[in-house]
Amino acid sequence: MILVFWTFLLCPALVHAQSDSLSLTLSQAEQQFVQKNFVLLAQKYNVNVAEAAKEQAKLWYNPNLFVETNLYNGYSGKLLPYGRNSDLYNPTSSVINVQVQQIVSLVKLRSKLVQLAETNISLQQSAFQDLMRNIRFQMAQSFGNLATNQQKLTMLQLQGQQLASLLEAFRAQLKLGVIAPYEVTRLELEQKNWESDLTDLHAQISQDEATLRTLLSINGSTYIIPVIETNNAKTVVPLNDLVSQALSQRPDLQLADQQVTYNQRNFTYQKALATPNLTLGADYQHVGGPFPNYVGVQALIDLPIRNKNQGNIQAARWGIDQSKESRNAVGIQVEQEVVNAYQQYSQATQLQAKITPEYLQSIQDISKNATEDYTRRVIDLVSFIDKIRAYKDAQLMLIDSSNRLYQAQQQLNYVTNSKVF
């Protein structure tokens, strides 16, 4: 019997060797997505729109110019009867009426509208920061999952190579009549299972790559190779400090606070709208007035008898109460997200701490002992395959354990909106 050593080593060289590949660290990926992500760029325009709205709110009302003249004079029978006429009382003279009007706010309405626009800018900026936080977390998750699945792919590729070698050796032994046919059939079945696992893994890797290419705005089918940087161990600050950090830095909470401010200023603005604007003006009439070359002044104001903007004022008042309740809900959500993330990190750390050098050595011994025992016919083929599967599951567990710790660290960064790790 040919002795085959079945060892699964994580060898990066076995992952895709494509020419159109791109190696990225997480920090490099973050820098690229900030500069190129189309969703972020589109959201940033909302800030520009809000700033333009503020500039618009600063502008004064335009004055109004009114000019009127007679098109036809019935006494003279002329169209547009213009010309010199020293007799202003002559009915054949042309009539000219000129008025200039300017709207004046009695309650500094423009300044209140500017304050409302300034708050809207802050709202859009917080919305932009929150979107960036969410996309960054999505990218970090996909980054870690892709790195994990590529490690699994490396292991499965090596397993496939060794399985093919073992199967070739068994077929040679079968021709010599040394082993039974069912042993070859059993290995062929194991190879089919391997092919199915490999297909599923390739599909997951393709999905992770598509997600990253979308987030990083990379065209085509570039194969992304995540480079996991060494994460120096850090002492995590106490839970209460993490909660305080999140409450001070989370953009969604800032957005909720600013929404309360916006509604308060909107309430002030709506109350101001109850006071009507005053329109001041002057007019000049050449003929057609009570006497020639008439000059007068004007004042116009709506009488707030029925419409005092009371409906919009009431809606704005309810908007304040609503936004306060929403802010309280966001505050509780932020706190609980930090608590949950902290617990997940603690559990992942505890699990990782249980992976000792002795445990790692015992995993390596499973494969070696299984091959030696089967070669010496100490165990049968079924037991041999069971041990090999146990070794594969243990290796997958090690990879998943590292990814679980990585994802827990990214979750803490996400919920606190800071670089805890």
Side-chain angles (χ1 to χ4, degrees), residues 16-23 209 213 218-225:
H16 280 241
Q18 296 183 203
S19 58
D20 56 340
S21 61
L22 176 63
S23 297
E209 285 184 309
R213 284 195 294 264
I218 298 176
N219 296 325
S221 56
T222 301
Y223 191 81
I224 300 175
I225 303 177

Side-chain angles (χ1 to χ4, degrees), residues 5-10 155-156 158-159 162 359-371 383-399:
F5 292 97
W6 195 300
T7 56
F8 301 131
L9 304 176
L10 297 183
M155 189 194 69
L156 285 182
L158 183 56
Q159 179 191 18
Q162 297 181 346
Y359 175 74
L360 295 176
Q361 184 60 47
S362 66
I363 292 176
Q364 296 297 330
D365 292 341
I366 291 178
S367 174
K368 181 179 179 181
N369 294 338
T371 303
S383 299
F384 171 71
I385 292 177
D386 285 342
K387 288 189 175 184
I388 295 305
R389 286 183 176 179
Y391 174 78
K392 182 184 73 172
D393 292 341
Q395 291 286 6
L396 292 177
M397 185 275 295
L398 291 176
I399 297 174

Side-chain angles (χ1 to χ4, degrees), residues 279-378:
T279 302
L280 299 177
D283 67 300
Y284 166 77
Q285 294 186 27
H286 174 75
V287 186
F291 46 84
N293 296 322
Y294 169 79
V295 178
V297 294
Q298 299 174 342
L300 175 67
I301 190 170
D302 292 336
L303 298 179
I305 298 175
R306 296 176 180 173
N307 183 357
K308 299 180 181 179
N309 204 39
Q310 56 267 36
N312 290 331
I313 293 174
Q314 183 65 24
R317 182 181 291 111
W318 287 118
I320 295 174
D321 295 337
Q322 181 187 44
S323 59
K324 286 181 178 180
E325 296 298 336
S326 297
R327 194 272 176 215
N328 293 335
V330 174
I332 294 176
Q333 179 181 349
V334 168
E335 180 180 353
Q336 291 306 310
E337 285 180 355
V338 175
V339 171
N340 180 49
Y342 188 84
Q343 291 175 346
Q344 290 186 24
Y345 171 74
S346 299
Q347 293 168 0
T349 303
Q350 293 172 7
L351 180 61
Q352 193 73 8
K354 294 179 181 178
I355 302 177
T356 61
E358 293 77 15
Y359 175 74
L360 295 176
Q361 184 60 47
S362 66
I363 292 176
Q364 296 297 330
D365 292 341
I366 291 178
S367 174
K368 181 179 179 181
N369 294 338
T371 303
E372 293 177 349
D373 291 344
Y374 181 66
T375 302
R376 292 186 285 107
R377 294 297 181 177
V378 176

Side-chain angles (χ1 to χ4, degrees), residues 163-272:
L163 182 59
S165 299
L166 183 62
L167 188 55
E168 182 180 357
F170 270 44
R171 285 170 178 163
Q173 295 293 319
L174 178 62
K175 291 180 181 180
L176 297 176
V178 178
I179 61 174
Y182 86 90
E183 295 188 71
V184 175
T185 303
R186 187 68 183 82
L187 281 179
E188 289 175 341
L189 178 59
E190 192 66 20
Q191 188 178 49
K192 294 297 182 183
N193 293 333
W194 169 84
E195 291 174 352
S196 177
D197 292 341
L198 193 65
T199 300
D200 293 340
L201 190 57
H202 273 300
Q204 185 59 51
I205 288 176
S206 297
Q207 181 177 346
D208 293 334
E209 285 184 309
T211 300
L212 277 179
R213 284 195 294 264
T214 300
L215 294 174
L216 300 178
S217 301
I218 298 176
N219 296 325
S221 56
T222 301
Y223 191 81
I224 300 175
I225 303 177
V227 179
I228 302 297
E229 299 170 294
T230 302
N231 192 359
N232 296 327
K234 292 185 178 181
T235 302
V236 181
V237 298
L239 176 59
N240 291 337
D241 293 341
L242 289 175
V243 171
S244 299
Q245 195 169 348
L247 292 176
S248 63
Q249 297 190 28
R250 281 279 291 265
D252 52 342
L253 190 57
Q254 295 171 2
L255 184 65
D257 289 332
Q258 290 157 0
Q259 188 64 54
V260 175
T261 302
Y262 181 87
N263 287 331
Q264 290 172 339
R265 291 184 172 180
N266 182 52
F267 176 65
T268 302
Y269 176 70
Q270 294 299 331
K271 287 197 301 181

